[in-house]
Structures are given as C-alpha cells and as structure tokens.
Amino acid sequence: MSNTISNKIKSYLPILEWLPNYKKTDLQGDLSAGLTVGIMLIPQGMAYAMLAGLEPIHGLYAVTVPLLLYAIFGTSRQLAVGPVAMVSLLTASGIASLNAGSPEQYLIYALTLAFLVGLIQFGMGALKLGFVVNFLSHPVISGFTSAAAIIIGLSQIKHLFRINLPNSEHIQEMAVAIFQNIGDIHWITFGIGVIGIIIIKYGKKIHKSFPAPLVAVVVGIALVAGFDLTQYGVKIVGDVPSGLPTFSSPSFDMQSWKTLFPIALTISLVGFAESFAVAKTIQAKHKNYRLNANQELIALGMANFGSAFFRGYPVTGGFSRTAVNNDAGAKTTMASIISAVLIVLTLLFFTGLFYNLPSAILAAVVLVAVSGLIDFKEPVHLWHKDKFDFTMLVATFIITLTLGIETGIISGMVLSLLVVIYKASRPHMAQLGRVPGSNIYRNIDRFTDLDVKENLLMVRIDGPIYFANVEFIKDKLDKWIQERNDQVKMIVFNMESVTNIDSTGAHELNEWINAWRKSDIDICMTSIKGPVRDVLNRWAILETVGADHVFVDDNSAVSSFDHTMDSETLEKYTPYAIQSNLKK
C-alpha cells in the first residue's frame, strides 16, 4: 500500500524519482550544463522579451521561478524551459489586439496570457488530454514554424536597421513597410547588428561550448561604451532593474480572458508540441527514464503559473537550449536549478552591466535563433514522398505568412483533420485472386498471373466500415460488379483488415446483402476478427449471411463456391463454425 502511494506521489513529483538517488558523478555534468545554459539564457531571455513587446528584464524573470517549477514537476531531465522565439511572437500577436494603454497594462496582459496558458496546459494534463497535440501533424508544424520564423525575423529588422516599422504579423504589410523605410537605415546600428550575427553564427565553430550570444553581448556593450555610440543614435537597453521578481497578479477580467483565450490555446498546443518533440528526441538518447505526455503538460502549466505570478510571460521547452543542455552534460533537472540560480545572481548583482547593451545585438540573437527554424529540406522531401502532406505544409506556410500566426496554426489543424477524414472516408480496397498452385490470395492490382474467376468477386476492405466511408465502399463494389458485366454470382468479403463496424456500417451492410441476394448474388465472409464478429452478431448480420456462408479463410469460401457451381452439396465442406465461437 505504501509503495503504491509512494509511486503515485513520484508520478506527480518526478523530482522525487531522481533526487534521493542523486550521484556525485552527475553533478559535474549538471553543473557544466547549468552554467552553460544559464549564460545562454541571459541574452536570449532579454531578446525574446523584447520580441514579445516587453522590457528585457521580464525575459530574465521568466527563467527563474518557471525553471524551478519545471525541475520539480517535469519528466524530462534535459529539457530547458524558458522564453522561445515562437511563443514570444505569439504573445506579442495576442496582446496587440487589446491595445494596451501603457507598459504596465501590457505587462498585465502578458501575465494574464501566461496564466491562461498554464490553466489550459495544467487542465489538459490533469484530464489526460496529451493526445490532442497529435492533431498538429509534422507537416503543419513544419510549415507553421518556417512561416513564423520568417515573420519573427522581419519583426527584428526595425531593431537591426533602426527604422520605423509597424507591428504586424502579415508578411505583405511588413514587406511594404520595409521597402518604404529602407532608405532610413542607421548604418552604425546595422554594423553592430551584423557583428553580433557573425559572432553568434560562427562562434560555435570555435567550440560547441563557446558562449557566442554572451560574447556578442559583451562586444556590443564594449563598442557602445568605448566609442560612446549613443550620441550617434545607437539605441540601447538602458536601465535594467536589479533584484528578484516581485509577486504579480494576472487580470481576472473576463473580457480580457475572452480576447486572449484563442492565442493562449495556440501557445498551449504549439508550445507543448515543440517542447515534447525535443524532449522525446533527447530522451531517446538516454533511455534511463520515461517521458509522460500528461505530466509534461502539468509541468509546463506549473511553469507558466510561475511566470504569471512572478512577472514573466508564457514559456515552453526550447530546441536550441535543450540541445545545448544535453551536449553540455546535463544528467538531471538539477542543471535547470543551477541555471535558475545563475539568473538569480545576475538579477541581484549584474543587471547594471547591461545598461549599454545595443538593441541590435538582441535582434541578432533572435535572428540567428530563428534562422535555424526555417526548414528547406522538408518541403522537398514531402514533394517526392507524400503530396498530401506537402500540400498541408505549403498551405499552412502561406496562410501563416499572409493571414497571421493564429489563423495559420488553426488552419493547419483543420487541414490535418480534413486530410484524416478524407483518408478515412476512402479506405483501401482490393480485389483478390489466388496465387497459382497455392491457397494464398493477393491483390490483383499488385500481383500478376493470379487466378481470378469472372463470377466470383473476392474483396478485402482495409479499415473500419462506418458512416464516413459506406458510400465509397458501396460505389467501389458496384463499379467492380459492373466491370465484370454483371456475371458475379458470389461476393466473398475478406474481413481480416476490418477493425470495426459502427451502426451505420452494420445497417448498410445488411441492406447490401439483402439487395445482392435479390439480384442472385450470394455473399460469404471470411477471416472475421473477434470484436467485429461480435458486432455482426449483435446486429444479426451473421444470421442474415448464414452460418454456412462464414469461413475461416478465403480458400474454404472458394471451395464452397466451386462445389455450389458444380451443384454439389455443401455438406462435404466444413464451413467456419461460428455459432459456438461468437464470443471467443
């Protein structure tokens, strides 16, 4: 009993699984990873907060309490949680429609959004709805991510060039604005940004642990301070408040909730999809623990609650930071705790060092991060392998670029569902013929020289028979019967691939059998699965077909048909005795 309770508690608090057994040998890897990711988080957190429309300090707040909460509740031991480019853009997109009158009001909306995301993710985890994210297919995520990365990149042009651009998530509007203002480029700012991009992009070639973003920050600060570039118009971060995040409260105004809910749902699904995808990839390399999708939702929900009540904004697991965390040697979420401690020390003692940080350097951090999100290979791969998925990817990509982030992801989910419904409504069906000299039957469209009887139609349906596909199945059968010039005397249904029959399917199947028999076409069934046999019995279809017309395999049905054609009695053959086996 005590073991059961202990295991239950550990399932809700995964930290209790590894912490009591923590080894000193793990500390070296966790310490190295924690410090590396912590250093990486400082410029990234500030840059992503700026992308979300917030003061840079809130990006650092978002990697204190949320990181600690995920370390307690998360099942992944390498996932690095915090602000990411995609969620930051979605945050800015969702709050824009509320027309905040001041930075303080904007922050309240960001806190409210984080609270809603936490509520949705925690609720989905508690209700075990982790499977819902499966409706975001890989092509949809790929198309959406690539389009969002382009939009994010264009949104940083105003900081890189220091030109006036409107806040927009539509590429056509952004392109027109950039074209109209391109002549106002501030070349010193642009030069600093380019230096930052080069350092961040190519710094990793020196060593995989080289803190390129932090070096870019240091170089940017040194250039501004050393040459007093603010007097030449270079925009800097300015005063960064010191101290730990104070307790904050989201808004509980229902009108704000109603406006923010769609974007909160989008962030919840996209954030979890991104987070769980990278967590699965890393877990596959270790295999010394198990991921739990529903517990991951709860953990991310708790992390977002932490953001909502400690002056942050929505967070999720990030691709790049998690990869760095793993490569730097992280063994447990102690690495995340160490990263959070480093951020706390920065908030307490080192925020003054960021006064001269150029906004162009933060833009460079974002631009390099999102450049890796644009996937050029996947569309080409899908074009050659799967035209349906290619169409979904391109459609999601174009819709996201032109109509906006929220519309793009919702359209992608709808497209995924439509494709699933379309494919489910058109199950694969095959006419079967016998391989000469054997009792094996195969698809006549895939094998040559099969024995096919003109008056015997053998059919295999690969999938359930239900309301969405009964018309397609009947049309296909009618077409095949007509192709044989109405010479068919027997239809043999091979049921080995039929997984389920609903009430509509059962009703229609019964109608077909009666109609065919009135037209002098008899019916046999073979290879029926137990659960399907139960359904057929429940709807009295087996009674309609007849016990002597149900066989264990195709060959028995064909033998019965051959002897019927020869006017011999069926008593010589042993039909499948279903009467005594219906419940097996």
Side-chain angles (χ1 to χ4, degrees):
M1 181 67 177
S2 60
N3 284 338
T4 303
I5 295 173
S6 175
N7 291 334
K8 194 72 172 176
I9 293 173
K10 287 178 180 179
S11 69
Y12 290 116
L13 295 171
I15 193 172
L16 299 178
E17 187 72 42
W18 60 263
L19 189 59
N21 304 311
Y22 193 75
K23 302 174 184 176
K24 289 183 179 179
T25 53
D26 293 335
L27 183 59
Q28 182 178 354
D30 284 340
L31 183 62
S32 172
L35 293 175
T36 302
V37 173
I39 290 170
M40 186 179 181
L41 273 170
I42 294 168
Q44 275 196 352
M46 297 175 76
Y48 292 153
M50 189 174 72
L51 174 60
L54 294 161
E55 293 296 324
I57 190 64
H58 295 287
L60 298 183
Y61 292 158
V63 286
T64 51
V65 175
L67 260 180
L68 296 173
L69 287 171
Y70 180 81
I72 295 169
F73 292 96
T75 57
S76 172
R77 298 185 184 178
Q78 285 80 31
L79 188 68
V81 170
V84 298
M86 185 77 67
V87 170
S88 299
L89 179 66
L90 287 167
T91 298
S93 170
I95 298 176
S97 60
L98 289 169
N99 299 316
S102 65
E104 292 76 18
Q105 186 64 50
Y106 192 97
L107 175 60
I108 290 175
Y109 289 145
L111 300 176
T112 304
L113 187 58
F115 180 79
L116 285 174
V117 171
L119 198 63
I120 292 169
Q121 290 181 329
F122 186 90
M124 288 176 65
L127 296 173
K128 302 192 183 304
L129 298 177
F131 69 90
V132 171
V133 78
N134 294 332
F135 290 116
L136 284 170
S137 66
H138 178 69
V140 165
I141 293 175
S142 178
F144 172 76
T145 302
S146 295
I150 292 172
I151 293 172
I152 292 168
L154 291 176
S155 73
Q156 295 306 291
I157 293 296
K158 63 183 177 183
H159 300 295
L160 187 67
F161 290 172
R162 208 194 162 188
I163 57 178
N164 292 321
L165 295 176
N167 291 324
S168 175
E169 55 181 81
H170 303 146
I171 190 171
Q172 61 274 24
E173 295 175 2
M174 300 173 83
V176 170
I178 291 171
F179 178 77
Q180 290 174 342
N181 293 277
I182 196 71
D184 299 329
I185 291 178
H186 190 266
W187 291 104
I188 298 177
T189 298
F190 178 63
I192 292 172
V194 169
I195 291 171
I197 290 172
I198 292 171
I199 293 172
I200 299 166
K201 185 75 174 174
Y202 299 103
K204 286 291 180 185
K205 295 186 181 295
I206 298 173
H207 191 275
K208 65 180 182 180
S209 298
F210 181 73
L214 190 64
V215 171
V217 166
V218 172
V219 170
I221 292 172
L223 287 172
V224 171
F227 296 98
D228 194 17
L229 295 181
T230 52
Q231 69 172 326
Y232 297 104
V234 174
K235 187 178 179 181
I236 60 174
V237 169
D239 288 315
V240 179
S242 63
L244 298 178
T246 56
F247 184 80
S248 59
S249 177
S251 168
F252 293 94
D253 174 55
M254 288 298 108
Q255 187 58 43
S256 299
W257 280 35
K258 183 178 178 181
T259 304
L260 290 173
F261 184 81
I263 204 71
L265 182 61
T266 302
I267 291 173
S268 300
L269 295 175
V270 173
F272 175 64
E274 178 179 342
S275 177
F276 196 66
V278 69
K280 280 198 301 184
T281 302
I282 299 300
Q283 185 270 341
K285 298 178 180 179
H286 293 272
K287 298 179 181 177
N288 61 337
Y289 63 90
R290 295 182 65 183
L291 284 176
N292 183 310
N294 294 312
Q295 183 60 31
E296 282 297 291
L297 276 165
I298 289 173
L300 289 174
M302 292 300 295
N304 278 292
F305 284 146
S307 262
F309 290 106
F310 289 93
R311 304 179 68 80
Y313 71 100
V315 297
T316 193
F319 282 107
S320 58
R321 286 196 302 272
T322 300
V324 169
N325 198 35
N326 182 63
D327 291 342
K331 302 298 181 185
T332 68
T333 49
M334 181 63 74
S336 293
I337 295 172
I338 292 168
S339 294
V341 170
L342 180 60
I343 301 299
V344 166
L345 292 174
T346 301
L347 287 168
L348 288 174
F349 304 111
F350 304 117
T351 54
L353 298 176
F354 297 104
Y355 180 86
N356 286 312
L357 175 60
S359 296
I361 291 293
L362 295 180
V365 171
V366 175
L367 284 166
V368 175
V370 300
S371 65
L373 297 178
I374 303 174
D375 194 342
F376 295 102
K377 294 181 180 178
E378 188 65 12
V380 176
H381 179 71
L382 289 178
W383 171 255
H384 294 292
K385 302 292 185 181
D386 193 323
K387 295 294 193 298
F388 264 116
D389 282 357
F390 172 80
T391 302
M392 276 200 298
L393 186 152
V394 172
T396 305
F397 178 80
I398 293 173
I399 292 170
T400 303
L401 276 181
T402 56
L403 300 181
I405 300 289
E406 188 178 335
T407 304
I409 194 64
I410 292 173
S411 299
M413 290 182 68
V414 171
L415 281 172
S416 296
L417 288 171
L418 287 176
V419 169
V420 168
I421 293 169
Y422 177 77
K423 289 182 176 180
S425 68
R426 302 171 66 84
H428 177 260
M429 295 175 62
Q431 294 186 65
L432 305 180
R434 187 172 65 180
V435 177
S438 75
N439 293 329
I440 299 172
Y441 292 80
R442 291 291 182 264
N443 186 347
I444 65 174
D445 291 331
R446 293 181 177 271
F447 293 82
T448 57
D449 301 323
L450 298 178
D451 291 337
V452 179
K453 300 177 185 296
E454 192 71 17
N455 53 0
L456 176 66
L457 176 62
M458 298 189 66
V459 177
R460 190 186 71 230
I461 302 170
D462 297 332
I465 301 174
Y466 71 123
F467 69 95
N469 64 19
V470 287
E471 288 298 322
F472 175 82
I473 293 171
K474 184 60 164 57
D475 290 343
K476 196 97 167 181
L477 290 169
D478 289 343
K479 178 185 174 185
W480 285 344
I481 292 171
Q482 290 173 6
E483 286 175 351
R484 299 198 183 189
N485 300 314
D486 295 323
Q487 295 184 33
V488 175
K489 296 300 180 185
M490 172 74 79
I491 297 175
V492 176
F493 275 112
N494 179 306
M495 306 287 279
E496 64 183 354
S497 299
V498 176
T499 55
N500 184 44
I501 302 176
D502 73 351
S503 60
T504 303
H507 174 78
E508 291 296 315
L509 192 55
N510 200 53
E511 292 288 322
W512 300 345
I513 292 169
N514 290 327
W516 282 324
R517 281 184 170 164
K518 287 180 181 177
S519 302
D520 296 326
I521 300 176
D522 207 355
I523 306 297
C524 285
M525 290 185 178
T526 71
S527 308
I528 308 172
K529 295 180 184 293
V532 175
R533 195 164 63 240
D534 292 339
V535 174
L536 294 175
N537 184 56
R538 192 181 309 132
W539 290 92
I541 293 174
L542 291 180
E543 184 179 334
T544 302
V545 173
D548 57 347
H549 282 58
V550 180
F551 300 89
V552 71
D553 56 39
D554 294 331
N555 194 60
S556 299
V558 173
S559 297
S560 174
F561 173 74
D562 288 342
H563 283 73
T564 300
M565 291 296 100
D566 292 337
S567 299
E568 292 185 16
T569 176
L570 287 174
E571 291 176 356
K572 295 181 181 179
Y573 305 95
T574 308
Y576 185 39
I578 62 165
Q579 299 282 353
S580 60
N581 295 298
L582 289 175
K583 296 182 180 179
K584 289 184 180 180

